[in-house]
Amino acid sequence: MISVDGLTVEFGSTTLFKDISFAINDKDRIALMGKNGAGKSTLLKILAGIKKPSRGNISAPGDAVIAYLPQHLLTEDNRTVFEEASQAFAQINNMQIRIDELNHQLTTRTDYESEEYYAIIEEVSALSEKFYTIEDINYDAEIEKILLGLGFLREDFTRNTSEFSGGWRMRIELAKILLQKPDLILLDEPTNHMDIESIQWLEDFLINNAKAVIVISHDIAFIDNITTRTIEITMGKIYDYKVNYTKYVELRRERREQQQKQFNEQLKFIADNQSFIDSFRGTFSKTNQVQSRIRMLDKLAIVEVDEEDNSALKLKFPPSPRSGNYPLIIEDLSKKYDDHIVFKNASLTLERSQRVAFVGKNGEGKSTLVKAIMSEIEFEGKVNLGHNVMIGYFAQNQASLLDENLTVFQTIDDVAKGDIRTKIRDILGAFMFGGDEINKRVKVLSGGERTRLAMIKLLLEPVNLLILDEPTNHLDIKTKEILKSALKDFDGTLILVSHDRDFLDGLVDKVYEFGNKNIKEHLCDIKSFLIKKKMDNLKEIERKTA
């Protein structure tokens, strides 16, 4: 068991959280929740030993292994994928090297009675005892299993890590963590940049193979599937629920309603007593009662009502200009880079107001097809846009296309039209640009902030064919809910490239699956598609084991 006792974090006059305590037990699956800035990532870093609290301490067994996956990281560039993953066993390898060195000294030294000789014997004995208690593992096989599960191909194993994007590097780091089989795994947004199949594999691994897990994630389906406990950080305190995220949301609402009721009752109680004090102050016969009530009010602990976000804010797209009956028709589309075929002879037709998802493993051509639709790349075949089609496009690199010299407010003010102009501050606030942050220039914003700003900008432009490529990366749950609500009310045609199952649920009625150089159409929603895929995968396993 790992114990958190009286943890306090202060920055100058600001207290992030104060005197929080809880225990982490074996097999705990904990979702760490709270609004941006509540201290979730800070708490994870303290548990990982990267940061120090102002006060309090973390107690863990001496041999406990705590592994931490941050949001942003960089692996070594001078190793292959397999070599980098092998670093998970570096400590064991170093132990073996040290034992060999010590044994060599014992066979070559002749000062058998010296203190140094006895010290070598003691060190090699202690190391050997520890080394030979480690489970005998086929390390190469373990590395291969983990890398394949996280979406790497065998031919990727010998590629240099410098050839991979940040998202793939994060998977390498995650592989190293999973290979260590730690007592506690700390994950900060692990599903960003992962495709659906890799996320499902990670879920299965954490549920069936991991010990204790604490995760920060905005992927509701992911945290609902893997967690059984939710710890919320709010207003410097924590609330510990022995339930998953969906049930926690319900219990949190009930808790706040109860707090609000107690707060209102206390306000009335204070008002009644203050009225008595004001009425009888100076009345000799009531002096004792007046003084008693004054002392009582001075000592009264005021009921606090937890913060409530403004996710109820409704953001609507401008009405879509009417397009033709078939906004997009693709015929026999093929794309290859040199000898590498991405997909071939792909055909699809979208009807007006239809909503579709592009899903599949990373690298199977989802973004490539979108770029073909946008005429950003060359291809073979035909892409026909229908009558009066106006495209709104959110690319994975959309944030980098913003004008860096504009402020946050100017960026949105330039594209807002009509009544929505009067609500720019509310919209920016809903997307976590409050107070003076609206006057920041784009050049000083973080990657996540730029993504949110680019998303708002797109939401305000009148379009009738909306193409969103991984729009939910870097968006928190509240912001995703606002975006999802707006997309539900969008009356145009929608293409969503996403790995976020919960986000896609209720938004699309057709799924295009990318894989094996082909694009397959499924006339169903995302839930039905995933159920069908899981059944197909099980059948495939049965065929292989038969």
Side-chain angles (χ1 to χ4, degrees):
M1 183 177 77
I2 298 170
S3 297
V4 177
D5 300 305
L7 218 59
T8 298
V9 173
E10 296 167 337
F11 301 105
S13 60
T14 302
T15 300
L16 197 58
F17 42 76
K18 183 177 181 181
D19 295 329
I20 64 173
S21 300
F22 60 95
I24 306 163
N25 303 301
D26 189 33
K27 294 298 181 184
D28 266 348
R29 305 278 187 272
I30 301 171
L32 194 57
M33 306 305 299
K35 72 172 192 177
N36 277 29
K40 302 186 298 294
S41 292
T42 299
L43 179 55
L44 235 55
K45 288 173 183 174
I46 292 171
L47 287 168
I50 296 170
K51 282 194 172 185
K52 298 289 184 185
S54 305
R55 292 186 299 279
N57 58 77
I58 309 292
S59 303
D63 59 350
V65 177
I66 298 176
Y68 170 57
L69 179 76
Q71 282 194 54
H72 308 288
L73 47 87
L74 182 66
T75 55
E76 291 283 345
D77 275 343
N78 58 353
R79 297 190 184 111
T80 66
V81 170
F82 199 92
E83 288 169 344
E84 184 65 34
S86 299
Q87 292 303 301
F89 304 115
Q91 188 176 2
I92 298 171
N93 294 334
N94 291 338
M95 200 184 303
Q96 175 71 75
I97 292 169
R98 181 59 178 164
I99 290 171
D100 292 342
E101 288 175 352
L102 294 170
N103 282 326
H104 179 69
Q105 290 186 48
L106 290 176
T107 58
T108 56
R109 292 178 70 133
T110 57
D111 54 337
Y112 307 120
E113 301 298 326
S114 68
E115 289 186 8
E116 291 84 354
Y117 197 88
Y118 281 112
I120 294 171
I121 291 174
E122 287 182 9
E123 185 181 352
V124 76
S125 297
L127 276 175
S128 296
E129 183 179 352
K130 188 174 182 180
F131 181 79
Y132 290 113
T133 58
I134 297 171
E135 182 184 352
D136 189 20
I137 297 171
N138 183 337
Y139 296 121
D140 286 358
E142 286 293 303
I143 294 168
E144 182 176 298
K145 182 175 73 173
I146 295 291
L147 289 176
L148 291 173
L150 287 171
F152 290 94
L153 303 174
R154 290 185 194 280
E155 50 262 40
D156 293 331
F157 293 179
T158 54
R159 290 173 60 192
N160 199 287
T161 58
S162 61
E163 299 177 28
F164 291 86
S165 67
W168 283 98
R169 288 171 181 238
M170 182 171 286
R171 295 195 202 196
I172 298 170
E173 197 66 22
L174 180 56
K176 287 157 63 178
I177 286 174
L178 300 180
L179 285 163
Q180 292 175 52
K181 299 184 179 177
D183 299 282
L184 174 61
I185 300 176
L186 307 171
L187 303 173
D188 197 346
E189 295 294 350
T191 63
N192 279 358
H193 311 293
M194 276 193 187
D195 55 56
I196 287 176
E197 289 191 27
S198 294
I199 293 172
Q200 288 178 318
W201 179 90
L202 178 59
E203 284 177 2
D204 289 340
F205 185 96
L206 293 174
I207 291 167
N208 297 315
N209 299 95
K211 296 177 184 177
V213 178
I214 300 181
V215 61
I216 298 171
S217 179
H218 299 134
D219 186 330
I220 296 174
F222 177 73
I223 55 177
D224 256 354
N225 287 343
I226 69 163
T227 62
T228 54
R229 181 178 169 193
T230 304
I231 293 179
E232 177 192 18
I233 305 178
T234 179
M235 297 174 68
K237 299 180 292 187
I238 66 165
Y239 293 92
D240 197 343
Y241 299 85
K242 303 299 189 289
V243 295
N244 68 3
Y245 173 80
T246 298
K247 184 64 177 175
Y248 142 76
V249 171
E250 184 182 324
L251 293 175
R252 181 186 60 180
R253 185 181 65 250
E254 293 174 0
R255 183 188 83 217
R256 193 183 183 285
E257 288 172 354
Q258 185 63 29
Q259 287 175 337
Q260 189 66 55
K261 181 183 176 183
Q262 292 172 351
F263 179 77
N264 293 339
E265 289 173 350
Q266 190 179 65
L267 281 182
K268 184 178 185 305
F269 176 79
I270 293 171
D272 290 345
N273 280 280
Q274 191 62 53
S275 177
F276 180 91
I277 292 167
D278 294 341
S279 298
F280 295 105
R281 194 190 300 270
T283 303
F284 182 75
S285 62
K286 301 285 189 182
T287 298
N288 288 341
Q289 293 180 54
V290 167
Q291 292 303 316
S292 175
R293 295 195 184 201
I294 289 173
R295 288 194 297 271
M296 179 188 64
L297 290 183
D298 285 343
K299 295 178 180 178
L300 190 65
I302 302 301
V303 172
E304 289 186 323
V305 181
D306 291 337
E307 298 166 306
E308 186 176 34
D309 63 33
N310 58 352
S311 58
L313 176 72
K314 296 288 286 184
L315 182 62
K316 284 186 174 291
F317 285 93
S320 296
R322 186 177 177 84
S323 71
N325 291 334
Y326 300 99
L328 177 66
I329 298 175
I330 293 175
E331 298 176 274
D332 296 324
L333 190 68
S334 298
K335 177 60 185 176
K336 66 178 181 178
Y337 294 99
D338 298 324
D339 294 330
H340 174 63
I341 298 173
V342 183
F343 50 72
K344 56 187 177 182
N345 301 326
S347 297
L348 61 88
T349 299
L350 296 190
E351 300 176 12
R352 185 175 59 239
S353 300
Q354 198 163 43
R355 297 154 175 271
V356 304
F358 288 178
V359 303
K361 289 184 177 180
N362 289 348
E364 294 287 357
K366 304 185 296 295
S367 296
T368 301
L369 181 58
V370 169
K371 289 176 182 176
I373 295 170
M374 297 303 300
S375 298
E376 292 184 354
I377 58 173
E378 295 181 354
F379 54 86
E380 296 176 7
K382 294 181 180 178
V383 173
N384 299 310
L385 296 178
H387 173 68
N388 198 35
V389 168
M390 301 168 65
I391 299 179
Y393 173 40
F394 183 89
Q396 289 193 46
N397 66 337
Q398 195 69 34
S400 65
L401 305 178
L402 296 171
D403 186 337
E404 291 194 336
N405 295 313
L406 295 179
T407 66
V408 169
F409 186 88
Q410 288 169 336
T411 300
I412 302 308
D413 189 46
D414 280 357
V415 295
K417 295 178 175 61
D419 293 342
I420 202 73
R421 290 178 65 93
T422 64
K423 299 178 181 177
I424 290 177
R425 290 180 184 273
D426 288 338
I427 293 167
L428 288 171
F431 279 75
M432 294 171 289
F433 292 107
D436 293 338
E437 290 186 332
I438 67 172
N439 297 317
K440 282 184 178 179
R441 295 204 179 274
V442 170
K443 66 175 70 173
V444 304
L445 298 181
S446 69
E449 289 171 326
R450 290 189 183 206
T451 297
R452 296 200 305 271
L453 188 60
M455 183 58 62
I456 303 170
K457 188 171 181 283
L458 178 65
L459 292 176
L460 299 179
E461 297 171 341
V463 299
N464 51 29
L465 174 56
L466 191 57
I467 304 174
L468 306 181
D469 192 352
E470 298 292 1
T472 61
N473 284 351
H474 308 295
L475 297 185
D476 69 2
I477 290 173
K478 181 184 76 172
T479 313
K480 285 200 294 187
E481 287 173 351
I482 295 170
L483 173 59
K484 185 172 180 177
S485 177
L487 289 173
K488 282 183 176 179
D489 294 334
F490 176 60
D491 57 358
T493 307
L494 177 64
I495 297 175
L496 272 173
V497 182
S498 179
H499 61 260
D500 191 325
R501 296 155 295 173
D502 184 78
F503 185 74
L504 290 173
D505 185 28
L507 279 182
V508 301
D509 47 35
K510 184 190 285 189
V511 176
Y512 285 98
E513 179 189 8
F514 288 65
N516 300 319
K517 301 178 176 50
N518 292 306
I519 302 174
K520 185 177 179 182
E521 182 183 72
H522 298 266
L523 301 174
C524 59
D525 62 14
I526 193 67
K527 274 189 176 177
S528 300
F529 166 74
L530 290 173
I531 291 170
K532 180 176 182 291
K533 278 293 292 179
K534 205 152 194 174
M535 290 173 64
D536 287 346
N537 287 345
L538 287 173
K539 289 174 184 173
E540 186 65 28
I541 291 168
E542 288 169 3
R543 279 198 292 271
K544 287 177 180 177
T545 56

